[in-house]
Amino acid sequence: MTDTNKKDQLYALIRNNPFISQQELANELGLSRSAVAGHIAGLIRERRLLGRAYVLPDSRPVLCIGAANLDRKMRTLATLQMGTSNPVRSEEVFGGVGRNIAENLARLSLPVALLTALGDDAAGHALQTHAEDAGIDMRGSLHLSNTSSGTYTAVLDEHGEMLLAMANMQLYEQLTPAFLHSRQPQRAAAALTVCDLNLGHDSVQALLADARQDAGQGSSQAAPLVIIAVSQPKMAHLPLDLTGLRLLILNRGELETRVARALPTAFEVRAACREVQRQGARQVIVTCGGEGVYFTDGDTPDAPIEHLAAREVDAVDVTGAGDAFSAAVCWSLYHDSSDLKLACRRGLKLAAMTLESAATVSPLISAAALDDIDDADLAPPPPTLFQQD
């Protein structure tokens, strides 16, 4: 067999598994490691590979890091009464902020990988299978023995609004800085890194430190870092110094926790966004439910902070709407969009589709949905919902 055929076979193996080792390639092809290294060098010269981790130029994924849970949703059939039994309708679905964003991105036809922690129980096996069937690369995830997978239990009222949520997510403490370092080849292959705050403080800080180092080296292949807040208590996982962060997405309550004060007016939300930018975040998006979103229109602390109204929808279930919004924004960033307004408009559309669905990730979501953005989300905010400046 000619060297050209061997090189093409090697390329096919790398394309099937971009993280295959040189020794595994050598064993598969019956070559020496030095011969494999020579073929890889040739592929890099031909720009069929982009170098480190054998990155294929057309398949750099979005890498999501965070929770993959079994979600239990219990919806009351009448007004909730505390201190007594309430009739509910219940279901179990796959959830977790990192996993939800990954599934949305897969439905948007992006290559996507997920680093999460899974137990060795039935839920963990089901989460793995469902993610892989959805097109999510799970090869780097952590599998823990004698451990239950993460669970999230939400109690919704009869209108689908969340009344209470309880999370059992201690296993994500195992996504340590050492674990992240062990997945460096996969992280280096990413086009965009999306981290949720189910990761501990030290792990988030490690991701920020790597982002700062990449920025300092001026690497054109460095993956921008996006952090997604998940709850007010877990804002404690966000370091004080946000230098290196491309984008922070959080809701108004989480922003209030970050700046340690109430934000009852649009003026105060804008002021808090500027404060977070001064802490190092390049851009900030603040979701305010039915009152729309605020976003920094530029990446300097004095850039304008704009507002978009939410779309009017008949909500079936609020679960997953914020994750769909974040996924659409990340889809825009992946495609090198510097227009955060357009990214937020796309996010509002996917959030509305999710609100109108009983599913945590709407089965109607596709890349085609983002091609049809109208002006429904450009109307001024309703004056009665949010105190003005």
Side-chain angles (χ1 to χ4, degrees), residues 185-262:
Q186 191 169 10
R187 291 171 53 205
L192 181 71
T193 300
V194 183
C195 161
D196 78 38
L197 286 182
N198 285 299
L199 265 69
H201 177 278
D202 291 348
S203 296
V204 178
Q205 188 157 268
L207 291 174
L208 284 165
D210 288 346
R212 286 193 289 270
Q213 181 177 1
D214 289 340
Q217 294 174 347
S219 172
S220 61
Q221 297 297 326
L225 176 62
V226 178
I227 291 179
I228 314 293
V230 299
S231 69
Q232 289 177 254
K234 290 186 178 177
M235 288 302 292
H237 296 179
L238 190 64
L240 295 177
D241 183 2
L242 301 179
T243 306
L245 180 59
R246 172 66 172 81
L247 173 65
L248 175 65
I249 303 178
L250 70 176
N251 65 31
R252 181 155 56 102
E254 291 154 355
L255 182 60
E256 289 177 335
T257 299
R258 177 66 180 187
V259 299
R261 63 179 183 275

